[in-house]
Amino acid sequence: MRASTDPGVATAERYRAFAEVEARGMSACYERWAAGVAADPEIVKLIDLLPPVKRQPNLVFSAARLHGAVVGEYPAFAAWLREHWALVAATCLTHATQTNEPGRCAVLLPALAALAGPLAIIEVGASAGLCLHPDRYSYRYRFADGGERMLHPRDRANPVVLDCDVSGPVPLPERMPEIVWRAGIDLHPLDVCSDADVAWLDALIWPEHDDRRSRLRAAVAVARQEPVEIVRGDLNAQIEALVARAPAGATVVVFHTAVLAYLNATDRGRFAAQMTRLPVRWLSNEGQSVVPGVLERLGEAPAPSHSIPASAFILALDGEPIALTQPHGRSLHWLG
Ligand SMILES: C[S@@+](CC[C@H](N)C(=O)[O-])C[C@H]1O[C@@H](n2cnc3c(N)ncnc32)[C@H](O)[C@@H]1O
C-alpha cells in the first residue's frame, strides 16, 4: 500500500509522500497543496477529524474541488479549506476514490481481441463502468517511428479517440472483438446516468489533466447510450454468481484495472484462486507487485523509458505477464 493511502501513517507524512511520490511530475497544483498540508499543523488537525481511511490526499483534494476549491497556490487553498471544511468533510465521508479511466481500454483491447470470441466481459471494480465499452471507442495507436494505426467500432468512428503509444510486438487487432454481454461489480457502483456521480468522477481527475476530463465527458455520453449493469458488492463475494449469468457459448473474460491494490493480501490471493478455478479467462492490469505471482513471472523487466514508466502496471493474461502499461493507458509495451 502507498504511504498516502495507508491509514496507519500519520497525516502529515501521508501528504508529504503524496507530494513527493504521486503528485510530482503529474500535478503541480496537488504537489503544492500536499506539501503545504504536510507543513501546516492547523490543516492537519482538521483532516485528522476524519477517520484514518478518509484522510487520503486524493479524496480530500477531490472533495474540495467538487465544492469549488480553485486550482492555485497553497495559502489560498488553505484559507478556502478552513472556510468550507464542513462541506468537504461530509463529501469525504460519503464518497470514495474511484477514478474511472476509459483510456485504460487502449491497453486492454489488443488482449481482448486476441481471445476467441464472442466474448462476455465482466469488470470487477468497475466504478461507473467506462472500461466496459472497449469496442465502442475509437483508438489511435502510435509507434515510435511516428506511424499510427486507427481502429474504430464496427459502424463508424467514435468521438472518443483513445491515444496510446505502443512498442514491442503488440498484436494490434484488425477489428473490434465481438462482445455479446457485459457486466461489472463494484463496492460502490457509480451511475453514468447520474449527473452527481459524473461530477464526482470529474473531480477525481487531477487538475492539469484536461485531456482526461474531456475524454471522461465523451465516454460518459457513449456509456449512457447503453448503460451496463454493475452489481453492488465485494468482487470475491459476487464473481462466481455473475460468471454463472454469462451466456453459454461466449468466452467469459474477467478483467480489472487499478483495483486489487485496494484489497489486502488474503483477499488478493482468494481472488487469484477464484480466477484459476472458474471457467474464465483472466485479464489483470495492476501495479507490479499487486497480483500474486505476476511480478515473479515477469522475470527481467525492460528498463524504464518514455513508453515504460517506472510506475508501469503489468498486464497479465491468466496470471502470465503479457505487457507493461502506463497506469492511465497512455502507453503499452508488449513483451516479447
Ligand atoms: C481506482 S478505481 C478503478 C476503476 C476502473 N477499474 C478503472 O480502471 O477506471 C477502483 C474501483 O475498485 C472498487 N473496489 C475496490 N475494492 C473492491 C472490492 N473489494 N470489490 C469490488 N470493488 C472494489 C472501488 O469501489 C473503485 O470503484
Side-chain angles (χ1 to χ4, degrees):
M1 186 178 278
R2 295 188 301 258
S4 70
T5 51
D6 186 342
V9 174
T11 300
E13 177 57 23
R14 290 172 75 170
Y15 280 73
R16 194 190 55 72
F18 183 82
E20 293 176 2
V21 180
E22 287 156 70
R24 186 160 298 164
M26 294 295 284
S27 167
C29 172
Y30 276 9
E31 185 179 352
R32 285 196 298 270
W33 287 6
V37 169
D40 187 338
E42 193 194 335
I43 294 290
V44 167
K45 215 162 134 187
L46 268 188
I47 293 172
D48 278 345
L49 296 172
L50 293 168
V53 73
K54 295 289 185 179
R55 294 175 194 160
Q56 51 174 298
N58 202 16
L59 180 62
V60 172
F61 293 166
S62 298
R65 290 180 52 249
L66 181 73
H67 292 294
V70 175
V71 173
E73 299 300 325
Y74 178 70
F77 172 68
W80 184 96
L81 196 60
R82 277 192 292 272
E83 196 180 328
H84 298 88
W85 178 249
L87 269 179
V88 172
T91 295
C92 290
L93 291 175
T94 52
H95 289 62
T97 52
Q98 45 185 148
T99 307
N100 200 182
E101 178 49 74
R104 291 179 178 133
C105 287
V107 301
L108 300 173
L109 188 77
L112 289 172
L115 296 173
L119 306 181
I121 62 172
I122 297 176
E123 184 183 13
V124 299
S127 184
L130 297 178
C131 293
L132 276 162
H133 304 269
D135 51 334
R136 293 176 177 150
Y137 304 131
S138 284
Y139 298 84
R140 183 185 297 111
Y141 289 104
R142 296 185 298 222
F143 307 101
D145 66 4
E148 59 182 43
R149 260 279 295 284
M150 297 296 302
L151 184 65
H152 301 297
R154 288 184 179 183
D155 37 5
R156 64 187 123 95
N158 192 275
V160 180
V161 180
L162 304 177
D163 286 305
C164 183
D165 295 333
V166 293
S167 56
V170 54
L172 288 182
E174 294 294 329
R175 64 180 75 85
M176 291 294 176
E178 186 189 1
I179 298 176
V180 292
W181 185 85
R182 58 196 93 208
I185 299 172
D186 202 283
L187 281 179
H188 312 281
L190 292 176
D191 178 1
V192 275
C193 297
S194 151
D195 289 342
D197 283 1
V198 172
W200 179 238
L201 287 174
D202 189 304
L204 284 166
I205 295 176
W206 290 13
E208 295 87 353
H209 298 201
D210 290 331
D211 60 331
R212 293 177 59 208
R213 197 163 285 107
S214 45
R215 195 166 61 199
L216 169 75
R217 295 281 162 185
V220 164
V222 170
R224 280 182 174 179
Q225 287 166 16
E226 294 177 69
V228 176
E229 180 189 5
I230 300 177
V231 174
R232 180 180 296 272
D234 175 68
L235 50 85
N236 267 316
Q238 299 295 335
I239 190 62
E240 187 163 5
L242 197 54
V243 167
R245 282 175 49 195
T251 300
V252 182
V253 186
V254 176
F255 73 96
H256 48 94
T257 79
V259 172
L260 288 207
Y262 292 85
L263 273 60
N264 62 33
T266 307
D267 289 341
R268 289 178 199 176
R270 201 176 140 214
F271 184 71
Q274 297 214 69
M275 291 300 95
T276 309
R277 182 175 57 80
L278 292 172
V280 301
R281 305 303 302 271
W282 172 33
L283 189 59
S284 60
N285 184 46
E286 299 282 351
Q288 299 200 2
S289 52
V290 170
V291 181
V294 164
L295 181 59
E296 293 72 9
R297 277 178 228 118
L298 176 66
E300 199 175 325
S305 65
H306 164 68
S307 60
I308 313 170
S311 59
F313 283 1
I314 301 177
L315 183 70
L317 181 64
D318 300 329
E320 289 296 330
I322 53 174
L324 297 174
T325 70
Q326 194 276 340
H328 291 139
R330 295 182 197 273
S331 66
L332 168 66
H333 175 80
W334 209 265
L335 299 166

